[in-house]
Amino acid sequence: MALLADPDAPTEIAQRMARTLSARLADKSGQGRRFDVKVVSEAFTSGTEDPPTLMRRIMDRGSAENWDIIVALTDLPLHSHGRRLAVNLNHEHGLALLSLPSLGGLRLQTRARRAVEEAVLGLASPQTTGAEGPPRSQPLLGPFINRLAPIHPGQTREKGTDDLRYVVSGPRGYLRVLVGMVRANRPWRLVPGLSKALAAALATGAVATVNSTVWSLAVSLSTPRLVIATVGSVALMIGWLIIDAELWHRSAESSPEARQRARLYNASTVVTVGIGVLVCYVGLVVINWVWALFILNDQAFASVTRTPLDAEEYLTLSWFVASVATVGGALGSGLESDDAIRAAAYSKREQERRHRLQDDHDD
């Protein structure tokens, strides 16, 4: 059998999985069977995210290599008839297509391994065909699905490419796919990707920390006002990055499914950028606090604010300066190239998908 994986995260997951997959499958099959597992890293989703088209590509790839079973892994969210696809199956040809975002963002390696194991065992088990409906075998993802509702099997409309489909439905399913997309984007990579913006923020914070007007403002602000300043500066940074780097997705299609996909992609963008900006904000608070400990003079601070410089004042000042510095960082982000921000905010698969959509829109 083969694990056909998109480059980047899916390939990493498949390679880690393959180390123990053969032994686990042989042990769970209970029939003395042997499974030889091969990992193939290939951009099989390039140029399309249509499930029937992807299944045909997987089918052709398997026929060319004479593989008995193929499980394809992608980190693109897949949709079909307005529903979010988790697993596509073709028992006749031994094919399975797994969309990793449908598994969520927590314990992804374990969940992906369980899904692949149960998919392979289901495809390899003897089948019987009823008078109506798809071929029936042992329950494909029974225990796994029961623990991760709401994913439900359903008959499909695309004859010849699949005979069973599992989809993610409901609010919990939407949140699971969203979290999976955000994890695939790896939002922590946004921090080093905003080097110029962070440099501007650090410079702004260093200057603000020694400014007596900022001291007076920080001392006079209540906790609710500091929270408002935090929310406002973070929201400004998120909005500026999305607008300036043109990260907002606009669908060229007017169908309900296209609008649903656009909402999902934009939600993942906001959350991805938001997490990256929050990580930067917390880092600024810590750096400003250390800088304040090193540079501030108790007597000078007390003479201006008439408040002793204790631990609470250090924290309040660092908190307020981080908000001021974040606004400076938003302005500094304009020095970053749009491509650099997109590369930091999106996974390789998502970058390729957006480039393709932009090219189609330009054409």
Side-chain angles (χ1 to χ4, degrees), residues 86-152:
V87 183
N88 240 19
L89 299 156
N90 185 313
H91 289 81
E92 179 182 357
H93 295 90
L95 310 178
L97 171 62
L98 174 62
S99 176
L100 293 174
S102 67
L103 303 180
L106 301 176
R107 301 172 62 238
L108 181 58
Q109 183 70 43
T110 300
R111 291 181 175 183
R113 189 200 70 223
R114 290 178 181 174
V116 169
E117 287 175 0
E118 296 181 22
V120 172
L121 294 175
L123 293 172
S125 63
Q127 300 176 29
T128 60
T129 304
E132 296 180 357
R136 293 192 300 270
S137 63
Q138 296 177 2
L140 172 66
L141 300 178
F144 184 73
I145 290 303
N146 289 339
R147 289 192 297 269
L148 294 176
I151 300 179
H152 307 286

Short mmCIF file of all heavy atoms in Angstrom, two decimals, residues 86-152:
data_model
loop_
_atom_site.label_atom_id
_atom_site.label_comp_id
_atom_site.label_asym_id
_atom_site.label_seq_id
_atom_site.Cartn_x
_atom_site.Cartn_y
_atom_site.Cartn_z
N ALA A 86 -14.48 14.85 4.93
CA ALA A 86 -13.45 14.29 5.79
C ALA A 86 -12.71 13.15 5.09
O ALA A 86 -11.49 13.16 4.97
CB ALA A 86 -14.06 13.78 7.09
N VAL A 87 -13.47 12.16 4.58
CA VAL A 87 -12.86 10.99 3.94
C VAL A 87 -13.69 10.62 2.72
O VAL A 87 -14.91 10.56 2.79
CB VAL A 87 -12.78 9.78 4.89
CG1 VAL A 87 -12.08 8.61 4.21
CG2 VAL A 87 -12.05 10.15 6.18
N ASN A 88 -13.03 10.36 1.61
CA ASN A 88 -13.63 9.83 0.39
C ASN A 88 -13.09 8.42 0.17
O ASN A 88 -11.89 8.20 0.31
CB ASN A 88 -13.26 10.70 -0.82
CG ASN A 88 -14.48 11.28 -1.49
OD1 ASN A 88 -15.55 11.33 -0.90
ND2 ASN A 88 -14.34 11.73 -2.71
N LEU A 89 -13.97 7.47 -0.19
CA LEU A 89 -13.56 6.08 -0.32
C LEU A 89 -14.01 5.47 -1.63
O LEU A 89 -15.10 5.79 -2.13
CB LEU A 89 -14.15 5.26 0.83
CG LEU A 89 -13.70 5.70 2.22
CD1 LEU A 89 -14.72 5.28 3.25
CD2 LEU A 89 -12.36 5.12 2.54
N ASN A 90 -13.18 4.62 -2.16
CA ASN A 90 -13.54 3.81 -3.31
C ASN A 90 -13.09 2.39 -3.02
O ASN A 90 -11.89 2.08 -3.12
CB ASN A 90 -12.89 4.34 -4.59
CG ASN A 90 -13.35 3.60 -5.83
OD1 ASN A 90 -13.39 2.38 -5.87
ND2 ASN A 90 -13.70 4.36 -6.86
N HIS A 91 -14.04 1.51 -2.61
CA HIS A 91 -13.69 0.16 -2.21
C HIS A 91 -13.21 -0.67 -3.40
O HIS A 91 -12.32 -1.51 -3.25
CB HIS A 91 -14.89 -0.51 -1.55
CG HIS A 91 -15.22 0.05 -0.21
ND1 HIS A 91 -15.94 1.21 -0.04
CD2 HIS A 91 -14.89 -0.39 1.04
CE1 HIS A 91 -16.07 1.46 1.25
NE2 HIS A 91 -15.44 0.51 1.93
N GLU A 92 -13.80 -0.44 -4.57
CA GLU A 92 -13.45 -1.26 -5.73
C GLU A 92 -11.97 -1.12 -6.09
O GLU A 92 -11.30 -2.10 -6.42
CB GLU A 92 -14.32 -0.87 -6.92
CG GLU A 92 -14.01 -1.66 -8.18
CD GLU A 92 -14.85 -1.22 -9.38
OE1 GLU A 92 -15.72 -0.34 -9.20
OE2 GLU A 92 -14.63 -1.77 -10.47
N HIS A 93 -11.46 0.10 -6.04
CA HIS A 93 -10.07 0.35 -6.42
C HIS A 93 -9.15 0.51 -5.21
O HIS A 93 -7.96 0.79 -5.37
CB HIS A 93 -9.97 1.60 -7.30
CG HIS A 93 -10.65 1.46 -8.62
ND1 HIS A 93 -11.98 1.80 -8.81
CD2 HIS A 93 -10.19 1.00 -9.82
CE1 HIS A 93 -12.30 1.58 -10.08
NE2 HIS A 93 -11.24 1.10 -10.71
N GLY A 94 -9.68 0.39 -4.00
CA GLY A 94 -8.86 0.50 -2.80
C GLY A 94 -8.28 1.88 -2.57
O GLY A 94 -7.10 2.02 -2.28
N LEU A 95 -9.13 2.93 -2.70
CA LEU A 95 -8.67 4.31 -2.60
C LEU A 95 -9.32 5.01 -1.40
O LEU A 95 -10.50 4.79 -1.10
CB LEU A 95 -9.02 5.09 -3.86
CG LEU A 95 -8.64 4.48 -5.21
CD1 LEU A 95 -9.10 5.37 -6.34
CD2 LEU A 95 -7.14 4.26 -5.28
N ALA A 96 -8.57 5.86 -0.75
CA ALA A 96 -9.09 6.71 0.32
C ALA A 96 -8.43 8.09 0.22
O ALA A 96 -7.22 8.19 0.01
CB ALA A 96 -8.82 6.10 1.69
N LEU A 97 -9.23 9.12 0.35
CA LEU A 97 -8.74 10.51 0.34
C LEU A 97 -9.10 11.13 1.68
O LEU A 97 -10.29 11.20 2.03
CB LEU A 97 -9.39 11.29 -0.80
CG LEU A 97 -9.15 12.80 -0.83
CD1 LEU A 97 -7.67 13.12 -0.97
CD2 LEU A 97 -9.95 13.45 -1.96
N LEU A 98 -8.10 11.56 2.43
CA LEU A 98 -8.30 12.11 3.77
C LEU A 98 -7.91 13.58 3.79
O LEU A 98 -6.79 13.95 3.45
CB LEU A 98 -7.45 11.32 4.78
CG LEU A 98 -7.42 11.85 6.23
CD1 LEU A 98 -8.80 11.82 6.84
CD2 LEU A 98 -6.44 11.02 7.06
N SER A 99 -8.86 14.44 4.22
CA SER A 99 -8.60 15.86 4.39
C SER A 99 -8.21 16.09 5.85
O SER A 99 -9.05 15.98 6.75
CB SER A 99 -9.85 16.67 4.03
OG SER A 99 -9.64 18.05 4.28
N LEU A 100 -6.95 16.41 6.09
CA LEU A 100 -6.45 16.53 7.46
C LEU A 100 -7.13 17.61 8.29
O LEU A 100 -7.32 17.42 9.49
CB LEU A 100 -4.93 16.76 7.42
CG LEU A 100 -4.09 15.59 6.91
CD1 LEU A 100 -2.63 15.99 6.79
CD2 LEU A 100 -4.24 14.38 7.81
N PRO A 101 -7.51 18.79 7.72
CA PRO A 101 -8.18 19.78 8.55
C PRO A 101 -9.47 19.28 9.19
O PRO A 101 -9.87 19.78 10.25
CB PRO A 101 -8.48 20.93 7.56
CG PRO A 101 -7.41 20.80 6.53
CD PRO A 101 -7.19 19.32 6.37
N SER A 102 -10.13 18.29 8.60
CA SER A 102 -11.36 17.76 9.18
C SER A 102 -11.12 17.04 10.49
O SER A 102 -12.06 16.79 11.25
CB SER A 102 -12.04 16.81 8.20
OG SER A 102 -11.27 15.64 8.00
N LEU A 103 -9.85 16.70 10.79
CA LEU A 103 -9.51 16.01 12.03
C LEU A 103 -9.25 16.99 13.17
O LEU A 103 -9.02 16.56 14.30
CB LEU A 103 -8.28 15.12 11.83
CG LEU A 103 -8.39 14.07 10.72
CD1 LEU A 103 -7.10 13.27 10.65
CD2 LEU A 103 -9.58 13.16 10.95
N GLY A 104 -9.27 18.29 12.90
CA GLY A 104 -9.01 19.28 13.93
C GLY A 104 -7.54 19.58 14.07
O GLY A 104 -6.71 19.13 13.28
N GLY A 105 -7.19 20.34 15.10
CA GLY A 105 -5.82 20.77 15.29
C GLY A 105 -5.10 20.12 16.44
O GLY A 105 -3.89 20.28 16.59
N LEU A 106 -5.81 19.38 17.29
CA LEU A 106 -5.19 18.76 18.46
C LEU A 106 -4.94 17.28 18.19
O LEU A 106 -5.77 16.60 17.60
CB LEU A 106 -6.10 18.92 19.69
CG LEU A 106 -6.44 20.36 20.07
CD1 LEU A 106 -7.42 20.37 21.25
CD2 LEU A 106 -5.19 21.15 20.42
N ARG A 107 -3.78 16.81 18.64
CA ARG A 107 -3.40 15.39 18.48
C ARG A 107 -3.59 14.94 17.04
O ARG A 107 -4.11 13.86 16.77
CB ARG A 107 -4.23 14.53 19.44
CG ARG A 107 -4.05 14.91 20.91
CD ARG A 107 -5.00 14.18 21.83
NE ARG A 107 -4.78 12.74 21.77
CZ ARG A 107 -5.73 11.87 21.44
NH1 ARG A 107 -6.93 12.30 21.11
NH2 ARG A 107 -5.48 10.59 21.43
N LEU A 108 -3.16 15.78 16.10
CA LEU A 108 -3.40 15.50 14.69
C LEU A 108 -2.68 14.23 14.24
O LEU A 108 -3.24 13.44 13.47
CB LEU A 108 -2.93 16.69 13.84
CG LEU A 108 -3.13 16.55 12.33
CD1 LEU A 108 -4.60 16.32 11.99
CD2 LEU A 108 -2.60 17.78 11.60
N GLN A 109 -1.46 14.02 14.70
CA GLN A 109 -0.72 12.82 14.30
C GLN A 109 -1.46 11.56 14.72
O GLN A 109 -1.61 10.62 13.94
CB GLN A 109 0.68 12.84 14.91
CG GLN A 109 1.57 11.69 14.50
CD GLN A 109 2.00 11.77 13.05
OE1 GLN A 109 2.36 12.84 12.56
NE2 GLN A 109 1.97 10.65 12.35
N THR A 110 -1.95 11.53 15.94
CA THR A 110 -2.66 10.35 16.44
C THR A 110 -3.98 10.16 15.70
O THR A 110 -4.32 9.03 15.31
CB THR A 110 -2.93 10.50 17.95
OG1 THR A 110 -1.68 10.62 18.63
CG2 THR A 110 -3.68 9.30 18.48
N ARG A 111 -4.72 11.23 15.49
CA ARG A 111 -5.99 11.11 14.81
C ARG A 111 -5.80 10.69 13.36
O ARG A 111 -6.58 9.86 12.84
CB ARG A 111 -6.74 12.45 14.87
CG ARG A 111 -7.23 12.81 16.26
CD ARG A 111 -7.97 14.12 16.25
NE ARG A 111 -8.54 14.42 17.56
CZ ARG A 111 -9.30 15.48 17.83
NH1 ARG A 111 -9.55 16.36 16.86
NH2 ARG A 111 -9.79 15.67 19.03
N ALA A 112 -4.80 11.24 12.71
CA ALA A 112 -4.54 10.86 11.32
C ALA A 112 -4.14 9.38 11.24
O ALA A 112 -4.59 8.66 10.34
CB ALA A 112 -3.45 11.74 10.73
N ARG A 113 -3.33 8.93 12.18
CA ARG A 113 -2.92 7.52 12.17
C ARG A 113 -4.11 6.60 12.35
O ARG A 113 -4.26 5.60 11.65
CB ARG A 113 -1.90 7.28 13.29
CG ARG A 113 -1.24 5.91 13.23
CD ARG A 113 -0.65 5.53 14.56
NE ARG A 113 -1.69 5.26 15.54
CZ ARG A 113 -1.65 5.68 16.80
NH1 ARG A 113 -0.65 6.43 17.23
NH2 ARG A 113 -2.63 5.38 17.64
N ARG A 114 -5.01 6.94 13.29
CA ARG A 114 -6.19 6.11 13.50
C ARG A 114 -7.09 6.08 12.27
O ARG A 114 -7.61 5.03 11.89
CB ARG A 114 -6.97 6.63 14.71
CG ARG A 114 -6.28 6.42 16.05
CD ARG A 114 -7.10 7.01 17.18
NE ARG A 114 -6.45 6.84 18.47
CZ ARG A 114 -6.91 7.38 19.60
NH1 ARG A 114 -8.00 8.14 19.57
NH2 ARG A 114 -6.28 7.18 20.73
N ALA A 115 -7.27 7.27 11.66
CA ALA A 115 -8.13 7.33 10.47
C ALA A 115 -7.54 6.49 9.34
O ALA A 115 -8.26 5.77 8.65
CB ALA A 115 -8.30 8.79 10.03
N VAL A 116 -6.23 6.58 9.14
CA VAL A 116 -5.58 5.81 8.08
C VAL A 116 -5.68 4.32 8.37
O VAL A 116 -5.98 3.51 7.48
CB VAL A 116 -4.11 6.25 7.91
CG1 VAL A 116 -3.36 5.28 7.01
CG2 VAL A 116 -4.04 7.66 7.34
N GLU A 117 -5.41 3.93 9.61
CA GLU A 117 -5.48 2.51 9.96
C GLU A 117 -6.87 1.94 9.69
O GLU A 117 -7.01 0.88 9.06
CB GLU A 117 -5.13 2.32 11.44
CG GLU A 117 -3.66 2.51 11.77
CD GLU A 117 -3.39 2.43 13.25
OE1 GLU A 117 -4.37 2.23 14.02
OE2 GLU A 117 -2.22 2.58 13.66
N GLU A 118 -7.90 2.63 10.14
CA GLU A 118 -9.25 2.12 9.97
C GLU A 118 -9.69 2.18 8.51
O GLU A 118 -10.47 1.33 8.06
CB GLU A 118 -10.20 2.87 10.89
CG GLU A 118 -9.87 2.65 12.36
CD GLU A 118 -10.83 3.38 13.30
OE1 GLU A 118 -11.95 3.70 12.88
OE2 GLU A 118 -10.43 3.61 14.45
N ALA A 119 -9.19 3.17 7.77
CA ALA A 119 -9.50 3.23 6.34
C ALA A 119 -8.89 2.05 5.61
O ALA A 119 -9.53 1.38 4.80
CB ALA A 119 -9.00 4.54 5.75
N VAL A 120 -7.62 1.75 5.90
CA VAL A 120 -6.94 0.64 5.23
C VAL A 120 -7.61 -0.68 5.60
O VAL A 120 -7.86 -1.53 4.72
CB VAL A 120 -5.45 0.62 5.61
CG1 VAL A 120 -4.77 -0.65 5.09
CG2 VAL A 120 -4.74 1.85 5.07
N LEU A 121 -7.92 -0.89 6.86
CA LEU A 121 -8.56 -2.13 7.27
C LEU A 121 -9.94 -2.28 6.64
O LEU A 121 -10.34 -3.38 6.26
CB LEU A 121 -8.66 -2.18 8.80
CG LEU A 121 -7.33 -2.27 9.55
CD1 LEU A 121 -7.55 -2.19 11.05
CD2 LEU A 121 -6.59 -3.57 9.19
N GLY A 122 -10.65 -1.15 6.51
CA GLY A 122 -11.96 -1.20 5.86
C GLY A 122 -11.85 -1.52 4.39
O GLY A 122 -12.65 -2.29 3.84
N LEU A 123 -10.87 -0.94 3.71
CA LEU A 123 -10.69 -1.19 2.28
C LEU A 123 -10.18 -2.60 2.02
O LEU A 123 -10.46 -3.19 0.96
CB LEU A 123 -9.72 -0.17 1.69
CG LEU A 123 -10.19 1.29 1.65
CD1 LEU A 123 -9.05 2.20 1.23
CD2 LEU A 123 -11.38 1.45 0.70
N ALA A 124 -9.41 -3.15 2.95
CA ALA A 124 -8.81 -4.47 2.75
C ALA A 124 -9.73 -5.61 3.17
O ALA A 124 -9.47 -6.76 2.83
CB ALA A 124 -7.51 -4.57 3.54
N SER A 125 -10.83 -5.30 3.88
CA SER A 125 -11.72 -6.35 4.37
C SER A 125 -12.63 -6.86 3.26
O SER A 125 -12.89 -6.14 2.29
CB SER A 125 -12.55 -5.82 5.54
OG SER A 125 -13.38 -4.77 5.09
N PRO A 126 -13.15 -8.08 3.38
CA PRO A 126 -14.07 -8.61 2.36
C PRO A 126 -15.30 -7.74 2.26
O PRO A 126 -15.81 -7.24 3.25
CB PRO A 126 -14.40 -10.01 2.89
CG PRO A 126 -13.29 -10.34 3.83
CD PRO A 126 -12.86 -9.04 4.43
N GLN A 127 -15.81 -7.60 1.04
CA GLN A 127 -16.97 -6.76 0.77
C GLN A 127 -18.14 -7.59 0.31
O GLN A 127 -17.99 -8.63 -0.31
CB GLN A 127 -16.66 -5.73 -0.30
CG GLN A 127 -15.51 -4.80 0.04
CD GLN A 127 -15.19 -3.87 -1.10
OE1 GLN A 127 -16.05 -3.54 -1.89
NE2 GLN A 127 -13.94 -3.48 -1.19
N THR A 128 -19.31 -7.11 0.62
CA THR A 128 -20.55 -7.68 0.10
C THR A 128 -21.35 -6.56 -0.50
O THR A 128 -21.32 -5.44 -0.02
CB THR A 128 -21.36 -8.37 1.20
OG1 THR A 128 -21.69 -7.40 2.20
CG2 THR A 128 -20.57 -9.51 1.85
N THR A 129 -22.09 -6.85 -1.53
CA THR A 129 -22.87 -5.83 -2.21
C THR A 129 -24.34 -6.11 -2.04
O THR A 129 -24.81 -7.21 -2.37
CB THR A 129 -22.52 -5.79 -3.71
OG1 THR A 129 -21.13 -5.59 -3.83
CG2 THR A 129 -23.27 -4.67 -4.41
N GLY A 130 -25.07 -5.14 -1.50
CA GLY A 130 -26.50 -5.29 -1.34
C GLY A 130 -27.23 -4.95 -2.60
O GLY A 130 -26.66 -4.61 -3.62
N ALA A 131 -28.55 -5.05 -2.54
CA ALA A 131 -29.37 -4.74 -3.72
C ALA A 131 -29.24 -3.29 -4.08
O ALA A 131 -29.31 -2.92 -5.25
CB ALA A 131 -30.83 -5.10 -3.44
N GLU A 132 -29.07 -2.43 -3.10
CA GLU A 132 -28.93 -1.01 -3.35
C GLU A 132 -27.78 -0.48 -2.51
O GLU A 132 -27.42 -1.04 -1.49
CB GLU A 132 -30.21 -0.24 -2.98
CG GLU A 132 -31.40 -0.64 -3.83
CD GLU A 132 -32.65 0.15 -3.43
OE1 GLU A 132 -32.56 0.93 -2.47
OE2 GLU A 132 -33.69 -0.04 -4.08
N GLY A 133 -27.22 0.64 -2.94
CA GLY A 133 -26.20 1.33 -2.16
C GLY A 133 -24.82 0.81 -2.48
O GLY A 133 -24.62 -0.09 -3.29
N PRO A 134 -23.84 1.39 -1.82
CA PRO A 134 -22.44 1.07 -2.09
C PRO A 134 -22.05 -0.27 -1.49
O PRO A 134 -22.78 -0.84 -0.69
CB PRO A 134 -21.70 2.22 -1.39
CG PRO A 134 -22.60 2.60 -0.28
CD PRO A 134 -23.99 2.39 -0.79
N PRO A 135 -20.89 -0.80 -1.84
CA PRO A 135 -20.42 -2.03 -1.23
C PRO A 135 -20.29 -1.86 0.27
O PRO A 135 -19.97 -0.80 0.77
CB PRO A 135 -19.04 -2.24 -1.88
CG PRO A 135 -19.10 -1.45 -3.14
CD PRO A 135 -19.98 -0.29 -2.86
N ARG A 136 -20.56 -2.99 0.97
CA ARG A 136 -20.50 -2.94 2.43
C ARG A 136 -19.34 -3.80 2.91
O ARG A 136 -19.13 -4.91 2.44
CB ARG A 136 -21.82 -3.42 3.05
CG ARG A 136 -22.99 -2.51 2.77
CD ARG A 136 -24.18 -2.89 3.63
NE ARG A 136 -24.63 -4.24 3.38
CZ ARG A 136 -25.55 -4.55 2.45
NH1 ARG A 136 -26.08 -3.60 1.73
NH2 ARG A 136 -25.91 -5.80 2.28
N SER A 137 -18.63 -3.28 3.86
CA SER A 137 -17.52 -4.03 4.45
C SER A 137 -17.60 -3.85 5.95
O SER A 137 -18.59 -3.38 6.49
CB SER A 137 -16.18 -3.52 3.91
OG SER A 137 -15.99 -2.17 4.28
N GLN A 138 -16.56 -4.22 6.63
CA GLN A 138 -16.50 -3.93 8.06
C GLN A 138 -16.59 -2.42 8.26
O GLN A 138 -16.15 -1.66 7.41
CB GLN A 138 -15.18 -4.45 8.64
CG GLN A 138 -15.05 -5.97 8.56
CD GLN A 138 -13.72 -6.44 9.08
OE1 GLN A 138 -12.90 -5.64 9.53
NE2 GLN A 138 -13.49 -7.73 9.01
N PRO A 139 -17.14 -1.95 9.39
CA PRO A 139 -17.27 -0.51 9.60
C PRO A 139 -15.94 0.19 9.40
O PRO A 139 -14.93 -0.19 9.98
CB PRO A 139 -17.74 -0.41 11.07
CG PRO A 139 -18.40 -1.73 11.33
CD PRO A 139 -17.64 -2.74 10.52
N LEU A 140 -15.97 1.22 8.55
CA LEU A 140 -14.71 1.86 8.16
C LEU A 140 -14.06 2.60 9.32
O LEU A 140 -12.97 2.28 9.74
CB LEU A 140 -14.95 2.82 7.00
CG LEU A 140 -13.73 3.68 6.68
CD1 LEU A 140 -12.62 2.81 6.16
CD2 LEU A 140 -14.07 4.77 5.71
N LEU A 141 -14.72 3.61 9.79
CA LEU A 141 -14.13 4.44 10.85
C LEU A 141 -15.00 4.42 12.09
O LEU A 141 -15.14 5.41 12.76
CB LEU A 141 -13.95 5.88 10.34
CG LEU A 141 -13.06 6.06 9.11
CD1 LEU A 141 -13.03 7.52 8.70
CD2 LEU A 141 -11.67 5.57 9.37
N GLY A 142 -15.65 3.26 12.36
CA GLY A 142 -16.64 3.18 13.42
C GLY A 142 -16.21 3.76 14.74
O GLY A 142 -16.71 4.79 15.19
N PRO A 143 -15.26 3.13 15.46
CA PRO A 143 -14.87 3.66 16.77
C PRO A 143 -14.32 5.08 16.70
O PRO A 143 -14.58 5.91 17.56
CB PRO A 143 -13.79 2.65 17.24
CG PRO A 143 -14.03 1.42 16.43
CD PRO A 143 -14.55 1.90 15.11
N PHE A 144 -13.55 5.33 15.66
CA PHE A 144 -12.94 6.67 15.52
C PHE A 144 -14.02 7.72 15.35
O PHE A 144 -14.01 8.77 15.99
CB PHE A 144 -11.99 6.66 14.32
CG PHE A 144 -11.25 7.95 14.13
CD1 PHE A 144 -10.23 8.29 14.98
CD2 PHE A 144 -11.58 8.80 13.10
CE1 PHE A 144 -9.54 9.48 14.80
CE2 PHE A 144 -10.90 9.98 12.91
CZ PHE A 144 -9.87 10.31 13.77
N ILE A 145 -14.99 7.44 14.48
CA ILE A 145 -16.06 8.40 14.23
C ILE A 145 -16.95 8.57 15.44
O ILE A 145 -17.39 9.68 15.75
CB ILE A 145 -16.90 7.94 13.01
CG1 ILE A 145 -16.06 8.09 11.75
CG2 ILE A 145 -18.16 8.75 12.87
CD1 ILE A 145 -15.57 9.49 11.53
N ASN A 146 -17.25 7.49 16.13
CA ASN A 146 -18.11 7.59 17.31
C ASN A 146 -17.53 8.52 18.36
O ASN A 146 -18.26 9.19 19.08
CB ASN A 146 -18.34 6.20 17.91
CG ASN A 146 -19.24 5.34 17.04
OD1 ASN A 146 -19.98 5.87 16.22
ND2 ASN A 146 -19.14 4.03 17.20
N ARG A 147 -16.20 8.57 18.45
CA ARG A 147 -15.56 9.45 19.42
C ARG A 147 -15.45 10.89 18.91
O ARG A 147 -15.18 11.79 19.69
CB ARG A 147 -14.17 8.92 19.76
CG ARG A 147 -14.17 7.66 20.60
CD ARG A 147 -12.79 7.37 21.14
NE ARG A 147 -11.84 7.11 20.08
CZ ARG A 147 -11.57 5.91 19.59
NH1 ARG A 147 -12.23 4.86 20.04
NH2 ARG A 147 -10.68 5.75 18.63
N LEU A 148 -15.60 11.06 17.59
CA LEU A 148 -15.38 12.38 17.01
C LEU A 148 -16.60 12.86 16.24
O LEU A 148 -16.47 13.47 15.19
CB LEU A 148 -14.16 12.35 16.08
CG LEU A 148 -12.81 12.11 16.75
CD1 LEU A 148 -11.72 12.02 15.71
CD2 LEU A 148 -12.49 13.20 17.75
N ALA A 149 -17.79 12.55 16.73
CA ALA A 149 -19.00 13.09 16.09
C ALA A 149 -18.88 14.62 16.08
O ALA A 149 -18.26 15.20 16.96
CB ALA A 149 -20.23 12.64 16.85
N PRO A 150 -19.44 15.31 15.09
CA PRO A 150 -20.32 14.81 14.05
C PRO A 150 -19.65 14.60 12.69
O PRO A 150 -19.55 15.52 11.91
CB PRO A 150 -21.36 15.92 13.93
CG PRO A 150 -20.58 17.16 14.26
CD PRO A 150 -19.43 16.77 15.15
N ILE A 151 -19.21 13.39 12.44
CA ILE A 151 -18.80 12.97 11.10
C ILE A 151 -19.68 11.80 10.74
O ILE A 151 -19.73 10.81 11.46
CB ILE A 151 -17.31 12.56 11.04
CG1 ILE A 151 -16.42 13.72 11.45
CG2 ILE A 151 -16.93 12.07 9.67
CD1 ILE A 151 -14.94 13.40 11.45
N HIS A 152 -20.39 11.91 9.65
CA HIS A 152 -21.38 10.90 9.30
C HIS A 152 -21.15 10.38 7.89
O HIS A 152 -20.84 11.16 6.99
CB HIS A 152 -22.79 11.49 9.38
CG HIS A 152 -23.08 12.15 10.70
ND1 HIS A 152 -23.30 11.43 11.84
CD2 HIS A 152 -23.14 13.45 11.05
CE1 HIS A 152 -23.51 12.27 12.85
NE2 HIS A 152 -23.40 13.50 12.39
#
